[in-house]
């Protein structure tokens, strides 16, 4: 997995981009980050690709993921 930057502010939310692995692995990483102290409740991952017509479009996944 790779993080492209330190995150950026988009309105009232912070956005982080991760890539370089399959969707399941990327969602697992995002889930672990969402569970860190200081990360607010209501965190979501947006599953998208580089061909999306607009920033933030895609399927939203609530984080952290439920434990299996």
């Amino acid at each position: 997995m790779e993080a492209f930057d330190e995150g950026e502010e988009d309105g009232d939310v912070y956005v982080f981009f991760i890539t370089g692995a399959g969707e399941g692995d990327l969602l697992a990483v995002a889930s672990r980050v969402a569970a860190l102290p200081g990360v607010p409740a209501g965190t979501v991952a947006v599953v998208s690709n580089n061909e999306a017509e607009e920033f933030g479009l895609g399927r939203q996944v609530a984080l952290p993921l439920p434990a299996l």
Side-chain angles (χ1 to χ4, degrees):
M1 276 126 313
E2 180 178 344
F4 278 113
D5 58 32
E6 297 298 317
E8 62 185 66
E9 203 167 345
D10 183 36
D12 60 348
V13 299
Y14 282 92
V15 178
F16 295 86
F17 298 92
I18 55 174
T19 186
E23 182 178 316
D25 290 334
L26 293 172
L27 287 173
V29 168
S31 183
R32 288 194 303 268
V33 170
L36 293 173
V39 177
T43 302
V44 298
V46 177
V47 179
S48 187
N49 63 43
N50 61 354
E51 296 177 8
E53 293 181 20
E54 188 176 321
F55 179 74
L57 292 180
R59 178 172 54 91
Q60 291 192 5
V61 178
L63 298 174
L65 298 172
L68 296 176

